[in-house]
């Protein structure tokens, strides 16, 4: 294994353990905290509010995260970010509303640093011929986290219809230990290297003010304005599959007595969809050609179009399967059909696969278009995505699932058309340069 492939693989493995812990908690946070409120009525912490704070702070912190990455380097920045994620999980051992929301904000800051450093590290270890492959390797390995974490939650809730005190503490302990292990793996990362194996630390040494000005000017360019529309959709979609959808299944009493277990199973199937998409459009991505080649295969826009179709089908099936009030709490209502477990699990798989179709192509196009300085565009991607996710988690306490699905369909359509326009202009400039 060459050094660059080692770096990408270990990066994915580090994210696997870190996010096996964090994503599992995010997936069950709403339903878990509702159980805490039943046991301790004085506790008023809310899962959607916690996640909304995390993503809102995540969005704001992306304006300073490139400067942090420039100052510390990718490896140290990712370790700092991972520690913030672990601190968030540790706070569940001493639950209070204030501590929950404070650590949600800390985790948001860490997320901005972690993901900006990750995007930069991935780009520094890639070139135009390996970007698609490396994106797919990272995406596939890191999304194994959804299988591991949600399989554990499924096991922990076996023969249980709620999160009792002992079950909650068991879950906290295992997820914290997993997060700590993932954080330690970042220590093994090596410096990025170029194709010749020479250390490749292409990090811009510019001041904080200059970095902010550059990021702002990039934010206002035509292509970035168009990509922002697609980024915004990914944020709405992220919040829906990562927090709202599984919680809605767990709250739908007509799903059966094992509905709490289905929260973990749905997350596991979302992970299966994510991994399959990473395999098809990343690791085997030589069939998915880049903007600067005319080789056979699918274009980036074709994969985005496939993601559009998959997501539309998923939203439509969820619309008829889950009752409108399912995001809020336990409900005995039905939608257009009696809630069906198999259909709900299938939709989870579609949500994950559709997400991977779009996000793998966004990683590719950012890495190819902005290879000389990828930290600012990655920060903008995270900024727009996280602000959209924060807004979505906030309105999930007020909007039923029907309104949320309609908003997802509209933003998906706009984001897909915007991506098409960016790739068209990119290809046009490439051919003009020949």
């Amino acid at each position: 294994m060459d050094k660059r492939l080692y770096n990408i693989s270990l990066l994915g493995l580090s994210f696997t353990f870190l996010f096996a812990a964090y994503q599992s908690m995010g997936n069950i946070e709403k339903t878990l905290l509702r159980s805490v409120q039943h046991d301790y009525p004085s506790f008023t912490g809310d899962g959607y509010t916690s996640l909304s704070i995390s993503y809102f702070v995540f969005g704001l912190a992306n304006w300073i995260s490139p400067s942090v990455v420039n100052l510390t380097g990718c490896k140290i920045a990712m370790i700092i970010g991972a520690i913030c994620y672990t601190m968030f999980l540790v706070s569940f051992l001493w639950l209070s509303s204030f501590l929950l929301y404070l650590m949600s904000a800390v985790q948001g800051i860490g997320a901005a640093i972690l993901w900006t450093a990750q995007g930069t590290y991935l780009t520094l270890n890639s070139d135009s011929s390996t970007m698609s492959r490396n994106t797919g390797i990272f995406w596939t390995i890191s999304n194994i986290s959804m299988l591991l974490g949600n399989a554990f939650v499924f096991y922990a809730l076996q023969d249980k219809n709620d999160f009792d005190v002992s079950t909650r503490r068991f879950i906290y302990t295992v997820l914290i230990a997993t997060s700590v292990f993932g954080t330690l793996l970042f220590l093994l990362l090596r410096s990025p290297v170029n194709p010749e194996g020479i250390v490749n630390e292409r990090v811009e040494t510019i001041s904080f003010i200059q970095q902010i000005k550059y990021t702002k000017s990039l934010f206002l360019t035509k292509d970035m304005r168009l990509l922002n529309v697609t980024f915004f959709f990914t944020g709405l979609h992220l919040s829906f599959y990562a927090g709202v959808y599984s919680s809605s299944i767990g709250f739908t009493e007509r799903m059966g007595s094992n509905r709490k277990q289905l929260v973990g199973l749905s997350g596991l199937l979302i992970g299966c969809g994510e991994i399959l998409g990473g395999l098809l459009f990343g690791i085997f991505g030589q069939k998915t050609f880049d903007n600067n080649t005319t080789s056979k295969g699918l274009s980036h826009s074709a994969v985005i179009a496939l993601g559009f179709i998959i997501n539309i089908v998923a939203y439509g099936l969820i619309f008829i399967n889950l009752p409108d009030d399912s995001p809020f709490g336990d409900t005995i209502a039905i939608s257009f059909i009696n809630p069906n477990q198999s259909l709900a699990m299938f939709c989870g798989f579609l949500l994950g696969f559709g997400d991977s179709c779009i996000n793998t192509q966004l990683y590719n196009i950012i890495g190819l278009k902005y290879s000389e300085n990828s930290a600012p565009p990655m920060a903008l991607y995270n900024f727009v995505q996280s602000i959209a996710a924060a807004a979505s988690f906030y309105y999930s306490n007020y909007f039923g699932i029907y309104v949320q699905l309609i908003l997802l369909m509209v933003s998906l359509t706009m984001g897909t058309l915007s991506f098409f326009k960016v790739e068209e202009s990119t290809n046009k400039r490439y051919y003009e340069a020949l």
Side-chain angles (χ1 to χ4, degrees):
M1 181 183 295
D2 64 56
K3 293 180 180 179
R4 306 180 98 192
L5 188 56
Y6 167 88
N7 285 342
I8 298 299
S9 301
L10 184 57
L11 180 68
L13 191 62
S14 302
F15 272 71
T16 294
F17 286 96
L18 181 65
F19 281 87
Y22 175 72
Q23 287 179 331
S24 298
M25 181 59 74
N27 198 36
I28 65 175
E29 188 173 355
K30 177 70 176 182
T31 49
L32 184 146
L33 293 183
R34 183 58 63 90
S35 297
V36 173
Q37 291 171 356
H38 287 163
D39 293 337
Y40 306 99
S42 61
F43 176 74
T44 58
D46 176 74
Y48 291 157
T49 302
S50 166
L51 291 166
S52 180
I53 292 171
S54 291
Y55 281 99
F56 180 73
V57 174
F58 179 14
L60 296 182
N62 275 290
W63 288 94
I64 63 170
S65 59
S67 297
V68 175
V69 175
N70 289 341
L71 178 66
T72 65
C74 296
K75 178 177 176 178
I76 298 301
M78 285 188 280
I79 293 171
I80 292 171
I83 290 173
C84 292
Y85 275 84
T86 304
M87 290 171 62
F88 168 74
L89 292 171
V90 169
S91 71
F92 280 81
L93 292 173
W94 300 279
L95 268 177
S96 74
S97 299
F98 173 77
L99 184 61
L100 172 68
Y101 296 150
L102 175 63
M103 288 299 103
S104 296
V106 169
Q107 183 272 321
I109 295 171
I113 297 171
L114 178 73
W115 282 103
T116 300
Q118 176 272 335
T120 304
Y121 190 78
L122 180 65
T123 300
L124 293 177
N125 280 285
S126 307
D127 52 46
S128 61
S129 65
T130 60
M131 177 58 72
S132 180
R133 181 204 68 180
N134 289 348
T135 299
I137 290 173
F138 170 77
W139 188 267
T140 302
I141 295 176
S142 63
N143 275 294
I144 293 174
S145 63
M146 300 189 74
L147 304 187
L148 296 177
N150 287 293
F152 164 68
V153 172
F154 182 79
Y155 164 77
L157 290 171
Q158 204 165 23
D159 301 323
K160 298 179 182 290
N161 56 16
D162 206 352
F163 293 90
D164 56 54
V165 175
S166 61
T167 301
R168 293 198 300 265
R169 186 160 292 274
F170 175 57
I171 290 174
Y172 301 155
T173 303
V174 172
L175 294 187
I176 290 169
T178 304
S179 183
V180 169
F181 181 70
T183 302
L184 293 175
L185 283 179
F186 283 107
L187 295 171
L188 303 179
L189 290 174
R190 301 173 181 174
S191 297
V193 295
N194 64 19
E196 289 73 37
I198 301 172
V199 173
N200 180 27
E201 292 277 11
R202 274 195 336 266
V203 179
E204 296 290 325
T205 55
I206 60 178
S207 70
F208 171 76
I209 298 300
Q210 288 174 315
Q211 186 72 70
I212 293 292
K213 288 181 177 179
Y214 176 76
T215 304
K216 180 181 176 181
S217 63
L218 178 63
F219 184 75
L220 298 175
T221 60
K222 181 181 178 181
D223 280 354
M224 188 55 69
R225 290 200 307 268
L226 288 168
L227 285 174
N228 284 338
V229 180
T230 314
F231 297 163
F232 191 85
F233 159 73
T234 64
L236 298 186
H237 186 76
L238 168 65
S239 63
F240 186 75
Y241 79 73
V244 177
Y245 181 63
S246 295
S247 296
S248 298
I249 293 174
F251 287 140
T252 303
E253 294 189 7
R254 291 179 184 268
M255 279 289 175
S257 59
N258 65 333
R259 66 186 187 278
K260 301 299 182 183
Q261 251 193 314
L262 296 179
V263 174
L265 184 58
S266 65
L268 191 151
L269 287 169
I270 290 170
C272 288
E274 296 277 12
I275 291 171
L276 179 61
L279 288 170
L280 291 178
F281 308 123
I283 294 178
F284 303 138
Q286 299 306 314
K287 296 296 183 182
T288 308
F289 67 77
D290 294 328
N291 293 318
N292 60 350
T293 177
T294 56
S295 63
K296 65 180 179 178
L298 296 173
S299 68
H300 294 307
S301 290
V303 179
I304 291 288
L306 176 62
F308 173 85
I309 295 170
I310 295 294
N311 283 323
I312 286 293
V313 170
Y315 299 154
L317 293 176
I318 294 169
F319 194 94
I320 66 172
N321 193 41
L322 293 182
D324 187 41
D325 61 347
S326 56
F328 307 137
D330 291 338
T331 176
I332 60 172
I334 64 171
S335 184
F336 294 89
I337 63 173
N338 197 52
N340 183 280
Q341 289 189 9
S342 298
L343 183 59
M345 298 304 102
F346 177 63
C347 287
F349 173 81
L350 293 181
L351 290 174
F353 186 75
D355 182 66
S356 67
C357 288
I358 294 173
N359 275 292
T360 54
Q361 304 316 301
L362 287 174
Y363 269 95
N364 281 336
I365 202 167
I366 290 173
L368 292 167
K369 285 177 66 67
Y370 307 102
S371 58
E372 292 304 314
N373 187 11
S374 62
M378 283 305 304
L380 290 176
Y381 173 30
N382 294 330
F383 166 70
V384 176
Q385 184 186 68
S386 56
I387 290 298
S392 178
F393 277 121
Y394 177 78
Y395 66 57
S396 293
N397 276 317
Y398 305 98
F399 292 167
I401 205 166
Y402 296 164
V403 173
Q404 293 190 46
L405 289 169
I406 291 171
L407 290 173
L408 283 165
M409 290 179 185
V410 172
S411 62
L412 170 61
T413 302
M414 295 174 63
T416 300
L417 295 175
S418 295
F419 187 95
F420 289 167
K421 187 66 176 178
V422 172
E423 185 171 41
E424 179 186 359
S425 65
T426 302
N427 288 339
K428 183 178 179 181
R429 285 194 294 270
Y430 169 73
Y431 290 120
E432 288 175 348
L434 291 179

